[in-house]
Amino acid sequence: MQVHDAIAARRSTRAFLDNPVDTSHLTRLIEQAAGAPSGGNLQPWHVHLLNGEGMTRFRTMMEPRLDAGQVEATEYPIYPDSLSEPYRTRRFAVGEQMYDRLGIPRTDKAARLDWFRRNWRFFDAPAGLFLFVDRAMGAAQWSDLGGFLHGLMLLLVEDGLASCPQEAWAMQHTAVTEFCGAPADHMLFCGLSIGIPDPNHPLATFRTERAPLTEWLTLHE
Ligand SMILES: Cc1cc2nc3c(=O)[nH]c(=O)nc-3n(C[C@H](O)[C@H](O)[C@H](O)COP(=O)(O)O)c2cc1C
C-alpha cells in the first residue's frame, strides 16, 4: 500500500467487528506514529492505550456515568463559539449525510443523541486510546498532535485496521483522566477508537466530501 492509497482509504469508522486486536501490534504502530515531526522535536503527545481487560475495566467504570447521562463541559473549545462560513455548512453537511445514512431524521433528536453517545463507548471498538497534551503547550504543539494522529490512522489502515478520532471524549475528561491516572498537568485532547471495520454496517460505505482545491489553495507561480 502506498501513502496516497492509505490516505484515500482512511475514514472515520464508527462500527467495528468484535475481533480483538493485539496489544503488541498496536504498541508497535503507536511507536511508529511517534516518527511524526513536531516543532523543536518536543514530541508533545502522551498516549494511554486501552485494550482487552483494560478496556473492559474502562467500560465498567463508564457504564453508570453514561446511564446517568453525565456529561461535562469541555476544557477546550471543540469549535469556535460561532462557526463562520464555509465551516458551518461543512459541519452541518457531514452530520446530515451521516444521520441520513443511519436513517435518523433531524426531527428524531433522541435517536441522534443516542447515536452521539456511542462515542463514549468507543463505538464498541475492541481497543481505543486517549491522547493527552501537557497543559503548558500551545496551538503549535496541539498541531503536532494532529500529525501524530494522522500518521497513526494511516499505519492502522495499512494493517487492515480502522479508527475514529473523537473529541467527544473531552466531554468526559474527568472520568477519563482519573481512569488513566494521568497527571493534573496533562489535558485530554481526544480519543481514538480502534478495530476492524464492520463491512455490513450502514456506515461502511459512508464517505465524507472535501472542498475543491480551488476553494483553499492559492497558487503563486
Ligand atoms: C481531532 C478530531 C476529532 C474528532 N472527533 C470526532 C468525534 O468526537 N466523534 C466523531 O464521530 N467523529 C469525530 N471526528 C471525525 C470527523 O468528523 C471526520 O474526520 C470528518 O467528518 C471527515 O471524515 P473522515 O475522517 O471519514 O474523512 C474527529 C476528527 C478529528 C480529526
Side-chain angles (χ1 to χ4, degrees):
M1 177 178 267
Q2 295 191 294
V3 177
H4 69 267
D5 297 320
I7 290 176
R10 186 216 57 81
R11 74 192 115 100
S12 296
T13 298
R14 300 176 180 91
F16 298 88
L17 299 179
D18 290 337
N19 304 39
V21 185
D22 184 52
T23 297
S24 60
H25 183 188
L26 293 179
T27 307
R28 178 164 52 80
L29 300 186
I30 291 167
E31 190 172 21
Q32 288 171 359
S38 57
N41 202 21
L42 295 195
Q43 307 161 63
W45 36 79
H46 295 272
V47 180
H48 292 255
L49 175 63
L50 278 59
N51 199 18
E53 286 180 15
M55 179 59 96
T56 306
R57 282 199 306 279
F58 178 71
R59 290 204 157 105
T60 305
M61 180 280 295
M62 282 300 291
E63 222 170 78
R65 284 183 67 84
L66 298 183
D67 287 350
Q70 276 177 270
V71 182
E72 291 180 282
T74 62
E75 290 194 284
Y76 68 90
I78 290 185
Y79 299 109
D81 278 345
S82 86
L83 263 188
S84 59
E85 291 299 344
Y87 314 110
R88 194 168 177 274
T89 297
R90 290 179 190 165
R91 185 184 174 200
F92 182 78
V94 71
E96 286 311 302
Q97 288 158 3
M98 188 184 74
Y99 286 118
D100 187 51
R101 191 60 81 92
L102 290 165
I104 307 176
R106 190 146 18 125
T107 46
D108 197 345
K109 297 237 180 315
R112 287 192 170 198
L113 189 62
D114 269 358
W115 173 263
F116 180 79
R117 286 172 177 278
R118 291 175 53 76
N119 267 291
W120 301 322
R121 298 209 309 260
F122 277 119
F123 295 110
D124 295 328
L129 63 76
F130 291 115
L131 185 54
F132 288 77
V133 62
D134 197 301
R135 288 177 191 277
M137 299 297 166
Q141 289 75 44
W142 281 61
S143 81
D144 296 336
L145 299 184
F148 173 87
L149 258 186
H150 194 207
L152 177 57
M153 291 188 276
L154 298 184
L155 289 162
L156 290 163
V157 167
E158 185 182 42
D159 285 2
L161 295 167
S163 61
C164 185
Q166 298 171 264
E167 283 158 336
W169 282 111
M171 289 177 240
Q172 301 288 350
H173 63 88
T174 302
V176 171
T177 302
E178 273 175 24
F179 179 88
C180 291
D185 55 352
H186 286 184
M187 187 195 290
L188 178 66
F189 167 38
C190 68
L192 186 75
S193 300
I194 301 171
I196 299 172
D198 177 353
N200 297 315
H201 193 272
L203 288 182
T205 53
F206 177 60
R207 291 280 193 284
T208 52
E209 298 163 347
R210 292 296 184 271
L213 193 70
T214 45
E215 272 190 31
W216 49 268
L217 174 70
T218 308
L219 275 177
H220 304 269
E221 289 185 291

